[in-house]
Amino acid sequence: MASIGFEDQAAGLRQAHSSKESSILRLFQSPDDRLFGTHQAKQASEPRVALPPLVAIASGKGGVGKTFFSVNLALDWQSQGKKCAVMDLDWGLGNLDIALGIAPQKHLGHVLFGECTVAEALIDYDGLLLLPNACGESFHDYSLTEQLDYIIRQIVVAEPSCNLIVADTHPGLGPATVDVIRRATATVVVSTPEPTAITDTYALFKVLYQEPLNGSVGLVINQAPSAERAQEAADRLNTVAKRFLGHEIPYWGFVPQDSAVSQSVCNQRPLLKSAPWGRTTVALRNIGETVSAIVAAHQQLNAHKESR
């Protein structure tokens, strides 16, 4: 497991990843022995480990702040005593490493193609575990159902103290994203008040509500000019969802527009480190508390079911 401190900024955004023709594409097109056989054999030979809760960060469209939320919420939960791992599941557009100014040598694509282990791809970023992904490679839509538990289990095997997984998902309605959300204990759907973002967010909830979910899903409004504008956007979505989907959309909070956010992104330094007591950081911590309470409630419910 590599180790990178907050002050260790990489000279370049990333080193060029070796490109193997159609390797990842073939991986998901054909569940052959290289992937499923190998993984199943490893699972059979390893002791069973309890899987920690999974929190997914999702959005109907890109550019609304998913990675920003993934990193900063994970850091907030880490400050509360959790041992968190963040998985970059934004296939083809992975930028978790860029957001943090690091240059990983291995990523999740290498893991799934059998070129390295999860432990070898994990990065220890000042106590926060990161599993980066590839950027700039072409992918077809695929399902992660067969691989997701395996990946999470291998994170726990590599770091037994890990007790919370955060998944930075691919934006939109693809099967990979929907699979992760259906598996998650809690999902934060990030939107902005802009009409295009609200429309795509409604489309995502429409797909999600077509089948039962394992956990809870809630809306967060990012880059809100005011609390009133954020509430208006959330109310509009909720009204339409109740009328046409027969479901409500829980509102879990908002994050205001703040120049400190843009500065932290440009500096490739998490907001919780660059502005730990700013108004946006406080808003993030409030959302983190809400999601933590929801995760804890699900854990208690599952423990009660298992004890019966």
Side-chain angles (χ1 to χ4, degrees):
M1 183 187 303
S3 179
I4 296 179
F6 277 111
E7 303 304 330
D8 297 330
Q9 296 296 321
L13 293 180
R14 67 171 85 238
Q15 297 179 2
H17 295 302
S18 60
S19 178
K20 296 186 187 245
E21 182 179 2
S22 72
S23 61
I24 303 296
L25 178 59
R26 285 186 286 114
L27 172 64
F28 292 109
Q29 286 179 328
S30 175
D32 55 21
D33 290 340
R34 290 174 303 164
L35 175 63
F36 294 103
T38 301
H39 287 187
Q40 289 170 353
K42 287 182 178 179
Q43 290 184 41
S45 63
E46 292 171 351
R48 298 290 295 178
V49 296
L51 299 182
L54 172 65
V55 175
I57 313 297
S59 66
K61 70 185 294 292
V64 298
K66 277 190 309 81
T67 301
F68 168 79
F69 272 88
S70 298
V71 171
N72 285 284
L73 286 177
L75 286 171
D76 177 47
W77 292 324
Q78 182 190 41
S79 72
Q80 303 300 319
K82 295 287 187 182
K83 182 64 174 180
C84 298
V86 183
M87 301 188 299
D88 191 339
L89 300 183
D90 194 348
W91 288 94
L93 297 171
N95 58 14
L96 179 63
D97 51 336
I98 295 177
L100 297 174
I102 60 178
Q105 299 300 308
K106 300 293 183 181
H107 56 68
L108 185 55
H110 294 129
V111 172
L112 294 179
F113 198 60
E115 297 177 5
C116 73
T117 65
V118 168
E120 291 170 336
L122 279 174
I123 295 173
D124 187 333
Y125 187 78
D126 201 33
L128 184 66
L129 299 177
L130 308 175
L131 184 56
N133 211 331
C135 183
E137 297 190 34
S138 178
F139 297 95
H140 287 193
D141 265 352
Y142 62 92
S143 170
L144 199 64
T145 302
E146 297 293 334
Q147 300 99 317
L148 186 59
D149 281 357
Y150 170 79
I151 295 167
I152 295 175
R153 184 173 291 108
Q154 292 306 303
I155 292 174
V156 178
V157 169
E159 181 51 72
S161 64
C162 180
N163 53 17
L164 184 64
I165 306 289
V166 178
D168 184 8
T169 67
H170 188 79
L173 317 175
T177 296
V178 173
D179 284 348
V180 174
I181 295 174
R182 295 205 188 285
R183 160 72 174 76
T185 308
T187 298
V188 178
V189 176
V190 182
S191 183
T192 68
E194 298 175 358
T196 53
I198 292 295
T199 300
D200 290 347
T201 300
Y202 172 78
L204 176 58
F205 275 101
K206 181 178 180 180
V207 170
L208 294 179
Y209 284 150
Q210 289 175 358
E211 296 180 20
L213 297 167
N214 177 66
S216 298
V217 181
L219 172 69
V220 168
I221 300 296
N222 192 24
Q223 303 170 19
S226 65
E228 291 75 19
R229 283 286 301 279
Q231 186 69 59
E232 289 173 5
D235 288 345
R236 287 200 306 271
L237 267 174
N238 192 47
T239 298
V240 175
K242 287 193 295 184
R243 179 178 178 182
F244 294 104
L245 305 181
H247 290 274
E248 294 190 359
I249 296 179
Y251 178 46
W252 290 352
F254 79 100
V255 169
Q257 288 179 338
D258 189 347
S259 60
V261 174
S262 299
Q263 186 174 356
S264 73
V265 171
C266 291
N267 293 337
Q268 298 173 288
R269 183 172 171 80
L271 187 70
L272 263 72
K273 293 296 180 180
S274 62
W277 302 112
R279 59 176 185 147
T280 299
T281 303
V282 172
L284 282 165
R285 292 188 188 278
N286 289 337
I287 293 169
E289 289 180 5
T290 297
V291 179
S292 291
I294 291 169
V295 170
H298 277 281
Q299 288 181 295
Q300 293 175 1
L301 179 61
N302 290 337
H304 177 70
K305 289 180 179 178
E306 292 175 359
S307 64
R308 295 176 62 180

